[in-house]
Amino acid sequence: MSDSYGEIVRRLEAALNTPGIPDAARANGRSLFDILSRPVRVAILGMAGSGKTAVLNMFLGERLIPQTLSSTFLEIVPGPDFMAEASYPDGRLEAADVEDLDDVVGAERVLIAAPNTILASLSMMEASVDGNAADNIASAAKAADILLWCTTEFNAAERALWEGVEERFQDHAFLLVTKADKLARADRLADTLMELAPLEGTEFAGILPLATLQALRALETEPRDPGLWQGSGADAVISTVSDHAKAGRRADLDQAELFLARYCDDFEETEDGIQARVRSRPKSQAVRKRSRMTRERSTMLRRPESEIHDTEAAPRSRRIASRPSSETKSPEKAPRPVSEPAPKAAPDPSPAPAPKAEAPATEQPADSPNTLADRLGQARRTLSRSIPATPRPKTVIDTAIQQIAQTGTDLARITEDPERILRLCAETTDGLQTLLDEDESDVELDTLPESVAQSAEMMTLLLLENAPGPAADAVTLLLQLKRDFEARLPSLN
């Protein structure tokens, strides 16, 4: 994926530097470029003594961070040479060599750059949940794409803190039951995993047992002891997180390719680099099928664009972003520490359900009712109303309004059946896209093609939710589209 990855990022950057792309689309493209231009961000959270630093060193494959280092936030990013900088609450800013990290105590933030292989794809952050715990967790969640909560039992205090994490972040969060070897020796591991199993697919994308000290001992042998490493659960944890990150990155690449297909005709290599030629009108229908597939794959990782911008201001994003819970290994299937006895009959947790898609916030008409029944009533009164006949020639706008009016008539025959309503609204919007894409007249459409394309994307997301609320939103989208088309009629008289 590396060669095509770099080429897609180059083309995306070229497109963003080319005039002619709508502002809203350019903002989305810029967010995609920012995400694809950096490693996936992993934040390690947990109470004091839960093994966070050991997990961090396990991912790095070396004991780089000493247990004595204390900081509210510790971030490790890729760099050609080792560099460390610590900032303190009193305003001090100090550089530190690798042998001086033991002396860093009470820092507010520590930033380390290191020439470590794993950092090319995953940058790591450790956040303390002591002190202003809720604020620290919220900051870490916004600054990360994947969250790892380290625990030995996930007690009531931890659960209370985790409840403050927004639901959309939990889709890319994993609960690591650290010190699993100690739990196993106390004959508590199987019971602990059984108690935590209901959280998988609801609060976390996966629950994985891990014997962190055993994993670090495996790293210190030359060559690495494969039995000790696998038995610790480290291989399962790193593979699960890496697969989650790769799936989200693939989804982001698909979104970037979709962006390029819609807004760019061609690319040309010049002495100054690659240059893009922007389409005079966005291409939409030709990439709709792929867009649907991409959206379904990426709803777990990708976050609303507003959050992406908030994230970049706080150096997160989907926070990445972002991996499918169906790919996550269950606790019972992950390798167990070598010292663990046969687990008691713990039920096999059910696979994590498909993530709930977040439909982008839409601007509602001022007179828009709230419930599905109310909006269906408005559809009967407004959507199904056709435009009066006029002596002027019929245009693509007249045809579009008639298609929406027919949908309003069909909706009037449907009771509150969200799935049928959503499918009818989505099919109508797709039909409007086809109509505009195939139109060869000289009618001035202004921003209508872009509005219809954005509405079609929203309809795809709403379809995934299949509930009365999204169905009501879909009807409102059609009402707004009808108003947009009708607004163009006076200029045609």
Side-chain angles (χ1 to χ4, degrees):
M1 185 173 70
S2 58
D3 291 342
S4 59
Y5 184 104
E7 183 62 20
I8 291 171
V9 173
R10 285 183 70 226
R11 291 188 173 197
L12 184 58
E13 183 178 26
L16 293 172
N17 291 328
T18 305
I21 295 177
D23 290 344
R26 190 182 298 276
N28 291 340
R30 174 58 60 184
S31 296
L32 274 172
F33 177 77
D34 291 341
I35 290 170
L36 292 171
S37 299
R38 59 160 177 78
V40 175
R41 295 168 178 160
V42 179
I44 302 173
L45 310 171
M47 309 298 284
S50 61
K52 298 188 297 294
T53 301
V55 170
L56 181 56
N57 285 327
M58 181 192 76
F59 270 90
L60 295 174
E62 59 178 321
R63 287 184 183 264
L64 179 64
I65 309 302
Q67 294 286 343
T68 55
L69 184 150
S70 67
S71 175
T72 303
F73 293 100
L74 167 65
E75 186 173 5
I76 307 179
V77 298
D81 300 300
F82 179 89
M83 293 180 62
E85 188 177 75
S87 58
Y88 293 85
D90 60 5
R92 284 181 296 137
L93 189 64
E94 296 180 353
D97 294 326
V98 65
E99 60 270 14
D100 298 330
L101 291 179
D102 282 308
D103 300 328
V104 177
V105 178
E108 187 171 68
R109 183 177 295 271
V110 175
L111 177 64
I112 297 175
N116 186 285
T117 304
I118 191 69
L119 295 175
S121 56
L122 298 176
S123 65
M124 312 295 295
M125 170 190 289
E126 179 185 331
S128 169
V129 298
D130 301 326
N132 298 322
D135 292 341
N136 295 348
I137 293 171
S139 297
K142 289 183 179 181
D145 305 311
I146 298 175
L147 305 179
L148 305 180
W149 186 280
C150 299
T151 186
T152 57
E153 56 181 345
F154 204 55
N155 59 31
E158 293 176 86
R159 291 173 188 250
L161 288 172
W162 186 251
E163 285 177 359
V165 176
E166 294 183 44
E167 183 179 349
R168 57 197 174 85
F169 295 128
Q170 296 171 2
D171 287 333
H172 353 280
F174 296 87
L175 185 64
L176 304 188
V177 183
T178 56
K179 305 182 182 179
D181 48 347
K182 292 184 179 180
L183 289 172
R185 286 195 294 272
D187 200 24
R188 279 284 303 152
L189 181 57
D191 289 340
T192 299
L193 293 176
M194 186 165 58
E195 292 167 5
L196 297 175
L199 300 176
E200 184 168 20
T202 54
E203 300 292 321
F204 295 94
I207 301 175
L208 298 166
L210 177 65
T212 49
L213 295 182
Q214 183 176 316
L216 292 178
R217 284 199 301 272
L219 289 174
E220 291 169 352
T221 62
E222 286 292 341
R224 177 193 297 177
D225 186 329
L228 201 59
W229 177 255
Q230 295 249 352
S232 71
D235 195 57
V237 170
I238 292 177
S239 296
T240 298
V241 172
S242 296
D243 289 346
H244 201 67
K246 288 175 184 176
R249 187 52 47 103
R250 284 195 298 268
D252 291 328
L253 280 173
D254 284 347
Q255 287 294 305
E257 287 187 285
L258 174 60
F259 178 92
L260 295 174
R262 288 187 60 194
Y263 294 105
C264 298
D265 277 327
D266 198 6
F267 294 87
E268 179 183 0
E269 289 284 354
T270 67
E271 293 181 357
D272 298 327
I274 192 170
Q275 290 188 351
R277 184 171 69 246
V278 174
R279 292 182 184 277
S280 57
R281 203 173 92 193
K283 182 180 181 181
S284 55
Q285 186 65 22
V287 293
R288 284 295 302 143
K289 183 176 181 181
R290 180 174 185 182
S291 176
R292 283 199 193 95
M293 295 170 59
T294 300
R295 288 283 186 177
E296 290 174 2
R297 269 174 49 188
S298 64
T299 46
M300 172 170 293
L301 185 67
R302 295 301 310 285
R303 304 179 182 179
E305 298 302 336
S306 61
E307 287 298 331
I308 293 175
H309 289 303
D310 289 344
T311 290
E312 296 306 322
R316 159 172 132 82
S317 163
R318 175 344 99 44
R319 286 121 75 259
I320 144 150
S322 281
R323 308 321 180 193
S325 56
S326 60
E327 296 180 5
T328 302
K329 300 177 178 64
S330 68
E332 273 60 41
K333 293 180 182 178
R336 306 258 173 204
V338 292
S339 56
E340 177 195 350
K344 299 177 182 177
D348 194 20
S350 57
K356 183 178 180 181
E358 292 188 44
T362 58
E363 184 177 342
Q364 305 289 353
D367 58 345
S368 176
N370 295 320
T371 69
L372 178 55
D374 289 341
R375 295 193 199 182
L376 284 174
Q378 185 169 2
R380 295 183 184 101
R381 296 189 301 273
T382 306
L383 277 181
S384 56
R385 186 176 64 241
S386 299
I387 58 175
T390 63
R392 59 175 172 75
K394 185 177 179 180
T395 69
V396 65
I397 293 181
D398 296 272
T399 303
I401 293 174
Q402 287 178 356
Q403 288 185 6
I404 299 175
Q406 180 58 52
T407 298
T409 301
D410 294 339
L411 285 171
R413 304 190 186 101
I414 299 177
T415 55
E416 293 190 38
D417 184 339
E419 183 175 4
R420 289 181 62 195
I421 292 167
L422 283 162
R423 292 195 179 280
L424 181 57
C425 292
E427 289 169 2
T428 301
T429 313
D430 281 346
L432 294 174
Q433 276 199 291
T434 301
L435 179 68
L436 297 185
D437 284 341
E438 295 177 352
D439 176 51
E440 297 181 354
S441 68
D442 295 329
V443 174
E444 178 56 51
L445 297 175
D446 195 21
T447 59
L448 275 176
E450 184 63 22
S451 296
V452 172
Q454 291 177 354
S455 295
E457 295 291 340
M458 293 179 189
M459 291 290 188
T460 301
L461 294 177
L462 294 172
L463 264 171
L464 296 176
E465 295 200 33
N466 189 21
D473 291 339
V475 174
T476 299
L477 277 175
L478 275 186
L479 287 168
Q480 184 60 58
L481 281 178
K482 189 166 188 282
R483 290 186 176 95
D484 289 345
F485 278 102
E486 288 175 338
R488 268 66 175 187
L489 286 175
S491 62
L492 300 174
N493 290 328

